[in-house]
């Protein structure tokens, strides 16, 4: 019995010796409960909208006040012409637009119905449908308040921009590609490098004439090739099987995919430099990469519906920017002039991860 207790004591000591594993072990349940509790919600508040008020009178203003007081929408832009609507969608500043006709007040006071137009950004069909539903509900409530239901109700004409049929696959193909690339590029790289350190073969490389930068490049090149093959396979399936459109430049799309792969590889190498074992590398990758990529990238759950602190944290998730870029190229047909900011953020992250990785390798050499 004494031998058995001593064995258990040894195992506990072994577990508590690795502080990184302990942080992950006890931090994971807390982080998961908080993330899942706050991030997994379909309710959207403060949806960014634009209004094209062609009536510009007290009646249309009363209708707008009813919308803004609902708490579901924030008027981001007051537009002047129809052409401004698509321009705002392309900039990504709004998720939904409302067009109030010129004769809005006059039609409501007569026997005719007044038709308002709702245009939603359907690159994220779930969000587009939810916001359209909210706006329709507020409009119906406005009709009831004004006792227009059996008189001259407000008729809603809705339009889903960029994805008229609201196909959810148009959202999932970019999201799945992001997860796969992150899995292959970052997680596999971190585990592979950590394995070499665990087995002691990394020490042989570190004492060789090869410079740290050359070692890192040699490690990541095979994964760049594998990730590109994966990306090409997902794109081919998306085009051939699901009818995914490509309204932008294929070359620009390919360059952005390559940039994201390098970003993920840099992150993977950085994780490997702070991991002493494959187990630690895998846990850090799962906690630091996969979970945020799924929950905080906007792939499944709208970032707008999350608490403000999670919205801020989502800005440091590379997957968020990659998903915005890839959906904008494929569905909206945008180019570098519209996506330079997102591209620059990814580029900055890439440089940061690579520089930090090389620096940590240099530290080990010293």
């Amino acid at each position: 019995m004494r031998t058995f207790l001593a064995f258990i004591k040894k195992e506990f000591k072994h577990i508590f010796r690795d502080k990184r594993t302990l942080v992950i072990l006890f931090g994971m349940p807390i982080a998961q409960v908080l993330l899942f509790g706050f991030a997994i919600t379909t309710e959207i508040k403060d949806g960014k909208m634009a209004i094209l008020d062609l009536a510009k009178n007290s009646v249309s203003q009363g209708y707008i006040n009813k919308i803004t007081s609902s708490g579901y929408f924030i008027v981001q832009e007051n537009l002047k012409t129809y052409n401004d609507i698509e321009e705002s969608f392309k900039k990504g500043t709004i998720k939904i637009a409302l067009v109030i006709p010129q004769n809005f007040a006059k039609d409501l006071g007569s026997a005719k119905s007044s038709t308002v137009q709702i245009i939603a950004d359907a690159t994220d069909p779930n969000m587009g449908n939810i916001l359209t539903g909210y706006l329709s509900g507020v409009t119906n409530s406005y009709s009831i308040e004004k006792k227009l239901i059996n008189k001259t109700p407000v008729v809603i004409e809705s339009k889903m921009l960029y994805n008229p049929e609201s196909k959810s696959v148009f959202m999932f193909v970019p999201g799945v590609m992001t997860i796969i690339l992150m899995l292959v590029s970052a997680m596999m790289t971190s585990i592979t490098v950590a394995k070499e350190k665990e087995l002691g073969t990394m020490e042989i490389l570190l004492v060789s004439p090869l410079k740290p930068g050359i070692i890192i490049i040699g490690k990541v090149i095979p994964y760049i090739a594998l990730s590109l093959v994966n990306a090409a396979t997902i794109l081919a399936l998306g085009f051939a099987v699901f009818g995914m459109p490509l309204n932008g430049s294929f070359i620009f799309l390919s360059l952005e995919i390559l940039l994201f792969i390098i970003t993920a590889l840099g992150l993977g190498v950085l994780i490997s430099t702070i991991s002493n074992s494959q187990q630690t590398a895998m846990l850090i990758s799962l906690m630091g990469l996969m979970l945020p990529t799924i929950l905080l990238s906007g792939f499944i759950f709208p970032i707008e519906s999350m608490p403000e602190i999670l919205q801020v944290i989502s800005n440091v998730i590379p997957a968020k920017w990659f998903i915005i870029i890839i959906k904008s190229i494929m569905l909206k047909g945008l180019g570098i002039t519209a996506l330079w900011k997102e591209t620059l953020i990814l580029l900055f992250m890439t440089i940061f991860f690579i520089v930090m990785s090389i620096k940590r390798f240099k530290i080990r050499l010293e």
Side-chain angles (χ1 to χ4, degrees), residues 293-343:
T293 298
I294 294 171
L295 295 179
L296 300 179
S297 65
F299 163 38
I300 299 176
F301 308 105
I303 293 172
E304 287 80 357
S305 65
M306 298 175 190
E308 198 168 338
I309 181 68
L310 290 184
Q311 292 187 35
V312 173
I313 293 172
S314 72
N315 290 323
V316 298
I317 308 295
K320 172 191 171 179
W321 303 106
F322 180 63
I323 288 177
I324 291 173
I325 289 171
I326 198 170
K327 284 204 296 190
S328 298
I329 296 172
M330 297 182 80
L331 300 178
K332 294 182 179 178
L334 301 184
I336 188 63
T337 51
L339 297 169
W340 64 268
K341 187 184 77 176
E342 291 79 3
T343 305

Side-chain angles (χ1 to χ4, degrees), residues 1-18:
M1 188 65 185
R2 186 177 295 175
T3 308
F4 180 65
L5 290 175
F7 179 72
I8 292 175
K9 189 177 175 184
K10 190 270 292 180
E11 286 301 313
F12 269 113
K13 281 185 178 178
H14 179 71
I15 292 169
F16 287 112
R17 193 177 296 137
D18 190 347

Side-chain angles (χ1 to χ4, degrees), residues 114-221:
S114 184
T115 303
V116 297
Q117 189 177 24
I118 298 172
I119 305 168
D121 182 349
T123 52
D124 185 340
N126 290 339
M127 181 185 284
N129 283 320
I130 290 171
L131 289 177
T132 302
Y134 285 169
L135 196 47
S136 300
V138 174
T139 303
N140 289 334
S141 173
Y142 174 78
S143 294
I144 291 171
E145 280 182 14
K146 298 296 178 184
K147 298 180 181 177
L148 299 171
I149 286 296
N150 296 316
K151 192 180 173 184
T152 54
V154 178
V155 176
I156 300 163
E157 182 182 299
S158 61
K159 179 181 177 183
M160 304 300 279
L161 210 59
Y162 308 118
N163 183 7
E165 298 175 16
S166 298
K167 290 184 176 178
S168 58
V169 71
F170 289 5
M171 181 180 71
F172 280 104
V173 168
V176 169
M177 181 191 291
T178 306
I179 290 177
I180 297 293
L181 292 182
M182 190 60 83
L183 187 71
V184 173
S185 307
M187 186 183 281
M188 293 304 294
T189 307
S190 64
I191 292 172
T192 302
V193 177
K195 182 181 177 182
E196 292 225 31
K197 287 164 68 177
E198 199 174 356
L199 296 175
T201 50
M202 182 57 72
E203 299 301 323
I204 299 171
L205 287 173
L206 289 172
V207 297
S208 71
L210 293 173
K211 293 182 178 178
I214 299 296
I215 294 173
I216 291 176
I217 292 170
K219 287 284 176 192
V220 301
I221 280 180

Side-chain angles (χ1 to χ4, degrees), residues 234-302:
I234 294 168
L235 281 179
L237 284 173
F239 295 145
V241 179
F242 300 111
M244 187 86 190
L246 176 56
N247 295 320
S249 163
F250 179 75
I251 294 174
F252 182 47
L253 176 68
S254 304
L255 290 174
E256 292 287 356
I257 289 173
L258 181 62
L259 175 61
F260 180 68
I261 289 171
I262 297 172
T263 307
L265 286 169
L267 193 51
V269 174
L270 182 60
I271 289 173
S272 71
T273 62
I274 58 174
S275 306
N276 295 322
S277 64
Q278 296 178 70
Q279 185 186 23
T280 308
M282 184 178 288
L283 287 172
I284 293 176
S285 298
L286 282 172
M287 278 293 295
L289 298 179
M290 298 312 297
L291 208 58
T293 298
I294 294 171
L295 295 179
L296 300 179
S297 65
F299 163 38
I300 299 176
F301 308 105

